[in-house]
Amino acid sequence: MDRNRKWVPVFGAVLLTLLSNMVSALEVPLDPKVLEGLPQPPTITLQSPKDYIFDPRENIVIHCEAKGKPQPSFSWTRNGTHFDVEQDSKVLMKPGSGTLVIDISGEKAEAYEGTYQCTAHNEHGTAVSNNIVVRQSRSPLWSKERNEAIIVQKGVSLVLQCRPPAGLPPPIIFWMDNIFMRLPLDKRVSQALNGDLYFSNVLPEDTRRDYICYARFPHTQTIQQKQPISVTVLDSSSEGERRPGFMTPFGPTSTKMVLRGETLELECIAEGLPTPDISWQKDGGELPAARMSFHSFSKMLRISDVREDDAGDYRCTATNSHGTAYHIIKVTVKAAPFWVSAPRNLILAPNETNTLTCKVKGDPKPRIDWFVNGVPIDNAPEDATRKVEGDTVTLSNVQSGSSAVYQCNASNEFGYVLANAFVSVLAEPPRMLTPPNRVYQVITNNPALLDCASFGSPIPTITWFKDSQISIKNGDSYVIHENGTLEISVAQPQNSGKYTCIATNNLGIKENHVYLEVKEPTRILKQPEYKVVQRGMSAVFECKVKHDFSLIPVMTWLKDSGELPDDERFVVGTDSLTIRDVTDEDEGTYTCFMNTSLDRDSASAMLTVVEATPTPAIVYEKPDPPTDLVLTDQTERSVQLSWTPGDEHNSPTQKFLIQFEDLLHQPGVWINLTEVAGTSTTAQLRLSPYVYYSFRVLAQNQVGYSEPSQSSRQYRTNPAAPDENPSGVQAVGTEPDNLVISWTPLTGFQSNGPGLEYRVQWRQKDVDEEWSSKNVANVSQFVVSGTPTYMPYEIKVQAFNDYGNGPESEVVIGYSGEDLPLSAPDSVQVMVHNSTLAEVHWEPVSLPSVQGKLQGYKVIYYRVRGLHEAEEQTDQQEHVLTFSGNRSEGRLPGLQPYSLYSLFIKVVNSKGDGPPTPSKPFETPEGVPGRPSFLKIDPGLDSLTLEWGPPTNPNGRLAGYTLKYQPVNNSSELGPEKVLTFLANETTVTISNLNSSMLYKFYLSARTIKGSGPTITEEAFTVMDTTRTQPSVEAGKGPTEPPHPTSPTIQSLHSPFHKAPPVGPVFGTVNTSVLEDSAVISWEYFGHQKNVYVEYIVENSQENWKKELANSSHSHTIKGLKPGTSYRVRVVAKDAADSTVHNTDEVVVRVPAVASRQVDIATQGWFIGLMCAIALLILVLLIVCFIKRNKGGKYPVKEKEDAHQDPEIQPMKEDDGTFGEYRSMESDMEDHKPLKGSRTPSNGTVRRDESDDSLVDYGEGGDGQFNEDGSFIGQYSGKKEKDTHEGNESSEAPSPVNAMNSFV
């Protein structure tokens, strides 16, 4: 058997994958050799287009070709009825086909117009063609008309109407003069899509008598011309410069409908002086740069191959030095039916089940009708094995003899698509298509493909065996493809052997044998090395190779990529090259090539020849750039680059740096690719798909890098599917019902091919549902709408292009958008620990009710009133504490003693706050009181009268006051201290029998049952009004005891004096509280300066400090602060010279942001009154206008209407050679006059004659206009045109057709 083997190199196996479509499901016709002798229903192979316009000077040829077994017969219908070809001698059907040839010479071509359909039939079914509408091309004559001479002032706008006759197909329009020279078009003068000639402003050089509009009819190759139009531009009183206005289209907006796949043409032509510039943009989106183009000096925007996402608002902007005008064109995109998946032919075995699917799209949604053998399926004979469900026909348990051709027709108002798909029921035993005993040879670690192409009905089952014993299953090392091919992804020597392929179905079995030989790779073990040889010496390059013993290698040496010189000095050995008696000409690069029948390897080295004599002093320089870059071993993902090193300049090359330029994606940018050793002159480069590579090499020695080499020739890699997916995939909801999926897009280099798109997939996590998918392009995010609130989603973003999908993407978890929490905590309890601290407890809410990520709980509390107060505070200040996480308790510090508080709690997520709990009141117990509000001392000769006020914050029921005092001598020594106590209602005392001219220091404090509070301190002389305040409280430390140089005593006023210790800081604690737009600053000051200021500045600002005078008070309110802003605040005491004597440390005050309180203007009295006055004024103006218009009378306007005809011209397309229908609007204008208050006519044109003043400007609408004397023309008479159809005569001048064609 081995003697009959035929071996095939491994690269031949790749071709076998082309057979894969044959055995996947037998859904397509097979190779003709396979189908030879097998029955086959008819298949239409050639037909004429749906719309066939013929030239009446030539025969009509309607194509219809089909194939089948046996050969089909053909018949035709015309206009829905049978067309008997044999009865008409002018009609011939070509032998062996259904193509009709109709001889219309000497006949009326109109007789053969109609809708034709071809039918191909044999005993296994009937196929039908599309409906082919056959029409004769027409080039009608131009209607006779009289063109009045046009006289205009310089600078005004002008439109010359063309109004060509309607032809089939529509004519192509262009303007020329009477010597057949095309009129020049520019930014100022342009031709519209309907053929009219527009002047944005006229100039004296526009004066001419031969403006001629030509219409060329492409099928008949005839040209018709309009009567010349004369234009005279007067320069006597030119129109002044003005801002732009649109000549077409009219109004602020217009609409445009276009079909998917067609070309969208939008035009905006503006008038103005200077001539306006036109620009385009798409509101809310970008223009499709790859499919759009600008024409007619940007006045026309053309978008080819229209897609659904091209719908939207397109804004054209006209701009000159005097202003800007805008027009919005609202574009809607509809779609005739188009195939998503057309039904495919089926070859089934008896009793098999399969489906025909007709997947189409369109807008409006297409209607799908099924036919069988050309008959509506509802009218066809009943078939129990057939079931129709919308776009699917299910065929169950088919039987022999039930072959047929099915037609799917999908239609909407914009067109239809029709597809034939045959179902052939066959019973065939397996056949082997792969030649027997084929030998496959492959190199180790390369893939191997063993083919097993077969045919049968039912589809044969393929099984593989190795060495006729071991059954092969799909696994890590083996893959059995649907077409039967066995793939070994990484072939190893142990995979060599005999493989048997067996094809089986219920009608038989067939086997085939193939052989696989896995060879060792060819490798150069010892490469030639770089040589520096003196002239006259010998050079030896070694090249030792390892190869498979069954493969015979062939060694070839090259010098500088060419053959070795024919010189006996060059000796080629088994594994070496020797060069004797080296000369300067021997310098170069020598390459060793080792070739086998399956693979090859190569290596290069350079020979440098030097002088044998001693050299002068060595000079080290950077190397010269490499030369002679050559690309070899080119594959899809790699290439070998070789080069010739430059002069090293006495410093050996350490390495070579290889760079590449991507001429497709980043031209002009060189990127480092790899480095190789300085002894190498080749490098195997790994490449990426869809890149236009150009390489260069830099050499480096110890001095530095050389200049770059010259670029290599360009090497283009073929496109492929992406190798990677976009990074940075994340999903975050921005609204309660959406999920925003974003990613970092791939670069052009990473795209690996054209048509890069992203397949965005999502599904709710832990929910049994299918993935939702959307393909997007040129974006980096996608918004999923209609999602439930704050639910986890699994996200995948996969890249794909025109050549396939990227790798399977990883799943990322994201959450849909959050909403405000639904509920408030339950079971709110407050535990009061002391007079300034309370603890609040609550029952946490359920996580689903949070509707988002739980940020924590917000406790809002405020002081209602003091328990000693009867009424609530008017300025209740809320305090907010936020406890992060899923907490159930929190502490409230800094409470005011002996007070009634109220609190409520809210749940907080990332979206905001939830509803509050019911208010929870609680009380704080008594505490020590604040210091007395003031202490005043009135001196006497030997007495001092003291008066004080109760504490501002009593913090409980006041029990009384404690007064301590002691004398102070001139050296600041303190005498003995005396203590007096007073009841709560006592606020004054006179202390007598004091020493005159003596300074006394007083300490006064209030007390409750909780103890004494902080003291207020004053000093006073008994002989003069001198007081100064000293501090008794250190900042942040509460009340301090008065100094005690001696133990307090009340027995004697003449105890020895002692030196008084330092009293402490001049300023005490600074407290702040913040309201909506103000801050209250309070402090303790023990100095004697009277000028106390509060200074403040915006945090991080470079402005000067602002200051407000506080005088001797101990608190101050800063008003007019900006919400949401932080301020730095300090308190300073200044002397009479305004120099700062004392100051506090700076504190930061943050004013919270508050929701703006907007006043509803509609409810304000002044606004209502103003609106009423305006309405009354408008009513009076309308009455005056009505009276004046009724006094106008009737005026003869027939002459003016004849001089200013305004026919309607339907829109025209230029490039595709189609025009809208032309018709006279005379009868329409007579019978359908625009109603008062109507908009512009159907073509969007509003014309103005001598006067620019019309009711259009005042919202009265219509075509009515004012004459120069103020009379309103259009109100009393309709427009009327002269009859333009006077017989069949033509007003065209004779014109050479061939000369005209050269201009179009």
Side-chain angles (χ1 to χ4, degrees):
M1 179 178 293
D2 292 346
R3 289 178 295 179
N4 297 327
R5 295 182 188 175
K6 301 176 181 177
W7 70 271
V8 179
V10 64
F11 53 81
V14 178
L15 299 176
L16 300 177
T17 58
L18 299 176
L19 296 173
S20 60
N21 290 334
M22 286 191 178
V23 291
S24 60
L26 289 183
E27 295 178 336
V28 296
L30 303 180
D31 187 279
K33 295 180 180 178
V34 179
L35 286 176
E36 186 174 353
L38 296 179
Q40 180 183 358
T43 300
I44 301 291
T45 59
L46 177 65
Q47 57 182 317
S48 292
K50 295 178 182 178
D51 193 7
Y52 175 27
I53 299 174
F54 65 90
D55 189 336
R57 299 170 297 181
E58 300 176 355
N59 289 339
I60 302 174
V61 180
I62 311 176
H63 293 283
C64 181
E65 305 284 345
K67 66 178 181 179
K69 196 75 171 184
Q71 179 67 27
S73 61
F74 298 88
S75 62
W76 286 85
T77 62
R78 184 173 69 180
N79 298 328
T81 61
H82 175 68
F83 180 44
D84 193 343
V85 176
E86 296 180 354
Q87 294 299 319
D88 192 332
S89 61
K90 294 291 186 178
V91 181
L92 172 66
M93 183 183 296
K94 289 185 176 180
S97 78
T99 299
L100 296 182
V101 179
I102 304 175
D103 182 8
I104 57 175
S105 59
E107 299 290 331
K108 289 187 176 181
E110 293 86 347
Y112 292 98
E113 292 184 322
T115 302
Y116 292 76
Q117 188 173 37
C118 172
T119 301
H121 173 78
N122 68 10
E123 60 190 65
H124 303 294
T126 302
V128 298
S129 71
N130 292 323
N131 286 324
I132 303 169
V133 178
V134 177
R135 296 181 295 171
Q136 176 186 347
S137 64
R138 292 177 173 85
S139 53
L141 300 178
W142 217 300
S143 301
K144 177 176 285 189
E145 61 182 354
R146 179 172 58 87
N147 294 324
E148 298 290 342
I150 298 175
I151 301 176
V152 293
Q153 292 290 340
K154 174 186 175 183
V156 302
S157 60
L158 177 64
V159 181
L160 302 183
Q161 295 179 336
C162 180
R163 294 182 292 181
L168 185 67
I172 299 171
I173 305 302
F174 51 94
W175 289 78
M176 294 196 301
D177 56 19
N178 55 14
I179 59 172
F180 309 118
M181 295 296 293
R182 293 195 79 159
L183 298 179
L185 302 179
D186 53 26
K187 185 174 74 172
R188 185 179 60 86
V189 183
S190 57
Q191 180 180 315
L193 291 174
N194 66 355
D196 290 352
L197 193 63
Y198 282 79
F199 296 80
S200 297
N201 51 79
V202 294
L203 299 175
E205 52 263 34
D206 296 326
T207 299
R208 62 189 313 149
R209 304 177 59 85
D210 55 350
Y211 285 95
I212 305 175
C213 181
Y214 289 85
R216 182 173 71 85
F217 298 89
H219 272 60
T220 59
Q221 296 299 311
T222 58
I223 292 179
Q224 308 287 351
Q225 76 172 60
K226 183 185 178 73
Q227 283 291 333
I229 301 175
S230 174
V231 175
T232 301
V233 179
L234 303 180
D235 199 8
S236 56
S237 58
S238 61
E239 183 80 7
E241 293 189 354
R242 61 193 181 278
R243 61 180 298 161
F246 284 103
M247 304 174 71
T248 183
F250 298 95
T253 62
S254 58
T255 60
K256 179 78 172 182
M257 191 276 288
V258 65
L259 293 181
R260 175 186 180 273
E262 292 185 352
T263 298
L264 171 64
E265 292 182 324
L266 305 177
E267 71 172 350
C268 279
I269 302 177
E271 60 93 15
L273 190 64
T275 303
D277 293 310
I278 303 294
S279 60
W280 294 85
Q281 69 183 70
K282 185 179 181 183
D283 290 351
E286 295 183 357
L287 296 174
R291 296 180 290 112
M292 74 162 191
S293 58
F294 295 108
H295 301 270
S296 187
F297 302 92
S298 295
K299 297 176 185 178
M300 184 177 71
L301 169 64
R302 179 177 296 159
I303 299 177
S304 60
D305 190 20
V306 169
R307 305 172 183 172
E308 287 82 353
D309 56 5
D310 290 328
D313 293 350
Y314 289 79
R315 180 188 298 267
C316 64
T317 303
T319 305
N320 67 9
S321 57
H322 291 277
T324 301
Y326 304 95
H327 183 87
I328 295 177
I329 305 177
K330 299 180 179 295
V331 175
T332 56
V333 178
K334 301 293 184 179
F338 60 93
W339 293 115
V340 176
S341 175
R344 295 183 291 177
N345 299 328
L346 294 178
I347 300 178
L348 303 177
N351 298 316
E352 280 191 336
T353 297
N354 214 321
T355 59
L356 291 171
T357 304
C358 182
K359 296 289 185 183
V360 293
K361 286 186 178 180
D363 187 9
K365 182 178 179 180
R367 168 184 170 180
I368 295 178
D369 296 302
W370 285 96
F371 299 78
V372 58
N373 293 328
V375 177
I377 204 163
D378 294 337
N379 299 337
E382 283 196 21
D383 187 347
T385 67
R386 181 174 64 221
K387 182 179 180 181
V388 180
E389 294 178 330
D391 60 0
T392 302
V393 174
T394 303
L395 303 171
S396 305
N397 299 318
V398 298
Q399 301 300 318
S400 299
S402 61
S403 298
V405 182
Y406 289 80
Q407 290 86 30
C408 172
N409 184 299
S411 60
N412 64 14
E413 61 185 271
F414 299 111
Y416 73 94
V417 288
L418 174 70
N420 292 274
F422 70 68
V423 177
S424 181
V425 182
L426 297 176
E428 290 290 328
R431 304 181 187 182
M432 278 295 173
L433 305 180
T434 300
N437 301 321
R438 175 171 285 181
V439 177
Y440 297 92
Q441 293 184 330
V442 65
I443 296 296
T444 301
N445 295 326
N446 285 325
L449 296 173
L450 310 182
D451 183 51
C452 183
S454 64
F455 170 75
S457 184
I459 301 172
T461 301
I462 304 298
T463 55
W464 282 90
F465 294 88
K466 185 176 186 297
D467 299 327
S468 302
Q469 302 176 24
I470 304 172
S471 177
I472 297 175
K473 305 294 184 184
N474 270 318
D476 292 338
S477 58
Y478 294 100
V479 177
I480 301 177
H481 293 277
E482 290 186 2
N483 65 350
T485 297
L486 175 65
E487 178 182 355
I488 306 172
S489 56
V490 182
Q492 299 297 324
Q494 59 266 28
N495 296 128
S496 298
K498 174 184 176 182
Y499 288 82
T500 302
C501 161
I502 299 178
T504 308
N505 68 10
N506 57 4
L507 299 178
I509 184 171
K510 195 75 173 177
E511 71 175 35
N512 191 26
H513 306 289
V514 296
Y515 298 85
L516 175 63
E517 296 176 356
V518 182
K519 307 293 186 180
E520 287 293 324
T522 302
R523 291 291 180 264
I524 297 177
L525 300 180
K526 183 173 179 57
Q527 299 182 358
E529 297 179 351
Y530 172 65
K531 300 288 184 182
V532 178
V533 179
Q534 292 183 357
R535 187 180 298 112
M537 304 298 289
S538 295
V540 179
F541 293 104
E542 292 185 292
C543 187
K544 295 184 178 180
V545 181
K546 179 183 177 182
H547 60 89
D548 191 277
F549 71 93
S550 64
L551 300 177
I552 301 175
V554 177
M555 177 180 289
T556 304
W557 284 91
L558 301 178
K559 178 181 182 294
D560 296 333
S561 301
E563 294 183 358
L564 292 177
D566 186 12
D567 192 329
E568 59 182 12
R569 295 183 300 109
F570 290 82
V571 179
V572 178
T574 305
D575 53 9
S576 66
L577 170 65
T578 301
I579 309 173
R580 297 193 295 263
D581 192 16
V582 171
T583 66
D584 291 339
E585 289 75 17
D586 297 333
E587 277 195 343
T589 300
Y590 292 85
T591 303
C592 168
F593 279 96
M594 299 300 294
N595 296 280
T596 69
S597 57
L598 295 181
D599 65 345
R600 61 184 289 184
D601 197 9
S602 65
S604 300
M606 186 176 179
L607 172 63
T608 301
V609 180
V610 297
E611 290 286 346
T613 57
T615 58
I618 299 176
V619 177
Y620 300 99
E621 295 180 359
K622 292 188 294 185
D624 289 342
T627 58
D628 303 329
L629 272 63
V630 178
L631 298 175
T632 57
D633 295 347
Q634 299 169 0
T635 68
E636 290 294 330
R637 292 294 184 103
S638 68
V639 69
Q640 180 170 284
L641 175 66
S642 60
W643 60 90
T644 300
D647 191 341
E648 294 181 328
H649 294 293
N650 303 315
S651 178
T653 301
Q654 297 172 344
K655 63 182 178 181
F656 291 99
L657 172 63
I658 302 170
Q659 298 178 329
F660 75 91
E661 176 189 18
D662 182 357
L663 297 170
L664 178 60
H665 303 105
Q666 288 183 291
V669 178
W670 289 93
I671 302 171
N672 294 343
L673 180 59
T674 188
E675 293 179 346
V676 296
T679 57
S680 299
T681 57
T682 62
Q684 195 72 24
L685 307 180
R686 297 176 61 86
L687 307 179
S688 296
Y690 196 50
V691 177
Y692 294 175
Y693 281 100
S694 182
F695 301 98
R696 70 182 186 185
V697 183
L698 293 83
Q700 183 191 31
N701 60 15
Q702 67 179 20
V703 180
Y705 278 104
S706 70
E707 293 297 320
S709 68
Q710 292 293 322
S711 302
S712 70
R713 65 176 176 84
Q714 188 180 121
Y715 181 62
R716 299 186 178 186
T717 54
N718 291 326
D723 293 327
E724 57 186 305
N725 289 316
S727 60
V729 177
Q730 61 179 359
V732 179
T734 59
E735 297 294 337
D737 60 348
N738 78 359
L739 180 69
V740 179
I741 303 170
S742 60
W743 59 90
T744 301
L746 298 182
T747 64
F749 184 81
Q750 295 170 315
S751 66
N752 282 11
L756 177 64
E757 295 186 41
Y758 302 100
R759 182 175 293 109
V760 184
Q761 295 178 280
W762 68 93
R763 69 178 178 187
Q764 193 170 334
K765 192 174 184 292
D766 301 327
V767 175
D768 187 15
E769 64 179 17
E770 296 294 326
W771 288 92
S772 299
S773 180
K774 179 69 175 181
N775 296 341
V776 297
N778 301 322
V779 296
S780 59
Q781 74 171 28
F782 176 75
V783 180
V784 180
S785 302
T787 60
T789 302
Y790 199 65
M791 287 296 175
Y793 276 80
E794 294 179 310
I795 309 298
K796 295 193 295 184
V797 180
Q798 183 183 30
F800 67 95
N801 57 25
D802 294 344
Y803 289 82
N805 298 328
E808 186 66 26
S809 55
E810 296 181 357
V811 176
V812 176
I813 304 300
Y815 284 83
S816 56
E818 302 183 39
D819 205 347
L820 295 177
L822 294 175
S823 59
D826 294 327
S827 305
V828 179
Q829 299 293 331
V830 180
M831 298 173 56
V832 179
H833 291 291
N834 53 46
S835 61
T836 60
L837 177 66
E839 186 173 303
V840 59
H841 293 259
W842 62 86
E843 186 71 26
V845 299
S846 63
L847 290 180
S849 70
V850 178
Q851 296 199 113
K853 183 176 182 181
L854 179 62
Q855 301 292 330
Y857 292 85
K858 184 181 291 185
V859 179
I860 300 97
Y861 62 97
Y862 58 92
R863 183 174 183 268
V864 180
R865 60 179 174 84
L867 292 177
H868 61 286
E869 299 171 347
E871 297 182 355
E872 295 185 3
Q873 293 182 187
T874 57
D875 55 345
Q876 295 173 349
Q877 180 179 353
E878 289 187 348
H879 302 271
V880 180
L881 289 177
T882 301
F883 301 95
S884 302
N886 196 12
R887 294 275 297 273
S888 61
E889 80 284 332
R891 291 195 166 197
L892 311 179
L895 302 178
Q896 189 169 331
Y898 202 56
S899 299
L900 173 63
Y901 278 86
S902 182
L903 68 76
F904 54 90
I905 306 175
K906 296 180 180 180
V907 184
V908 182
N909 64 14
S910 301
K911 190 72 174 178
D913 299 349
T917 63
S919 295
K920 181 73 175 179
F922 66 93
E923 298 177 355
T924 56
E926 293 188 58
V928 296
R931 67 180 183 177
S933 58
F934 67 90
L935 174 60
K936 295 181 179 180
I937 303 175
D938 292 330
L941 183 62
D942 59 354
S943 65
L944 293 172
T945 300
L946 284 72
E947 181 183 358
W948 61 87
T952 304
N953 296 316
N955 295 340
R957 291 181 291 273
L958 202 61
Y961 299 92
T962 300
L963 176 64
K964 300 177 183 180
Y965 67 95
Q966 56 191 143
V968 182
N969 62 15
N970 293 332
S971 59
S972 298
E973 294 175 336
L974 297 175
E977 183 181 85
K978 288 188 176 184
V979 180
L980 301 176
T981 60
F982 304 94
L983 297 177
N985 59 354
E986 294 180 291
T987 59
T988 183
V989 65
T990 299
I991 303 176
S992 305
N993 300 320
L994 300 177
N995 295 331
S996 60
S997 301
M998 177 64 71
L999 176 66
Y1000 287 86
K1001 189 168 187 175
F1002 295 89
Y1003 310 90
L1004 178 67
S1005 62
R1007 67 179 184 275
T1008 64
I1009 60 173
K1010 292 293 184 178
S1012 295
T1015 63
I1016 182 171
T1017 303
E1018 290 287 346
E1019 295 177 353
F1021 283 95
T1022 54
V1023 293
M1024 62 183 67
D1025 184 10
T1026 303
T1027 63
R1028 51 197 179 105
T1029 303
Q1030 298 293 339
S1032 61
V1033 181
E1034 290 189 14
K1037 295 185 179 179
T1040 61
E1041 292 294 325
H1044 298 284
T1046 60
S1047 299
T1049 179
I1050 61 175
Q1051 285 85 5
S1052 172
L1053 295 176
H1054 305 286
S1055 298
F1057 285 89
H1058 301 278
K1059 194 72 173 181
V1063 178
V1066 176
F1067 278 98
T1069 303
V1070 177
N1071 297 312
T1072 64
S1073 60
V1074 182
L1075 302 178
E1076 288 187 358
D1077 60 351
S1078 61
V1080 178
I1081 314 298
S1082 60
W1083 62 91
E1084 293 173 333
Y1085 178 59
F1086 309 103
H1088 63 279
Q1089 300 296 334
K1090 297 295 185 180
N1091 298 327
V1092 179
Y1093 295 88
V1094 176
E1095 296 183 343
Y1096 61 96
I1097 188 174
V1098 176
E1099 189 175 20
N1100 300 324
S1101 173
Q1102 302 299 321
E1103 299 176 355
N1104 294 327
W1105 288 80
K1106 300 178 181 178
K1107 66 179 182 178
E1108 296 183 4
L1109 180 64
N1111 283 334
S1112 59
S1113 63
H1114 294 277
S1115 67
H1116 180 74
T1117 301
I1118 306 174
K1119 298 181 180 180
L1121 301 181
K1122 185 177 181 181
T1125 306
S1126 296
Y1127 293 84
R1128 290 158 45 207
V1129 180
R1130 66 188 181 193
V1131 183
V1132 299
K1134 298 191 177 186
D1135 57 17
D1138 201 32
S1139 299
T1140 299
V1141 179
H1142 307 113
N1143 64 272
T1144 66
D1145 293 334
E1146 295 178 8
V1147 296
V1148 177
V1149 175
R1150 294 178 174 84
V1151 183
V1154 297
S1156 62
R1157 297 173 179 170
Q1158 297 182 354
V1159 178
D1160 188 359
I1161 191 173
T1163 63
Q1164 301 300 301
W1166 66 269
F1167 179 80
I1168 296 174
L1170 177 62
M1171 293 296 102
C1172 292
I1174 294 174
L1176 181 60
L1177 179 61
I1178 293 174
L1179 179 60
V1180 172
L1181 291 175
L1182 290 175
I1183 294 173
V1184 172
C1185 291
F1186 181 79
I1187 293 173
K1188 284 186 172 295
R1189 189 170 65 177
N1190 287 342
K1191 291 181 179 182
K1194 296 184 179 180
Y1195 297 88
V1197 297
K1198 176 64 177 175
E1199 293 77 12
K1200 283 194 172 289
E1201 289 179 349
D1202 288 343
H1204 300 284
Q1205 299 180 20
D1206 189 34
E1208 288 194 0
I1209 302 175
Q1210 300 298 322
M1212 174 187 72
K1213 295 182 179 179
E1214 179 179 329
D1215 287 358
D1216 59 359
T1218 62
F1219 284 73
E1221 178 186 358
Y1222 166 82
R1223 62 190 179 92
S1224 171
M1225 295 299 295
E1226 178 179 334
S1227 59
D1228 290 349
M1229 297 302 291
E1230 289 286 335
D1231 299 335
H1232 304 287
K1233 298 177 182 178
L1235 296 176
K1236 181 180 181 181
S1238 65
R1239 307 299 290 177
T1240 56
S1242 60
N1243 66 349
T1245 304
V1246 176
R1247 296 197 50 186
R1248 302 186 180 187
D1249 295 335
E1250 288 81 355
S1251 174
D1252 282 335
D1253 189 9
S1254 74
L1255 288 187
V1256 175
D1257 296 330
Y1258 298 96
E1260 292 294 332
D1263 286 330
Q1265 301 183 2
F1266 287 105
N1267 204 341
E1268 292 180 350
D1269 59 1
S1271 61
F1272 182 56
I1273 299 174
Q1275 180 71 20
Y1276 302 103
S1277 62
K1279 294 187 177 181
K1280 186 174 180 182
E1281 294 185 32
K1282 294 183 179 181
D1283 188 4
T1284 58
H1285 303 283
E1286 301 177 1
N1288 295 325
E1289 296 179 3
S1290 172
S1291 62
E1292 291 80 1
S1295 58
V1297 173
N1298 294 335
M1300 295 302 102
N1301 288 335
S1302 65
F1303 292 104
V1304 181

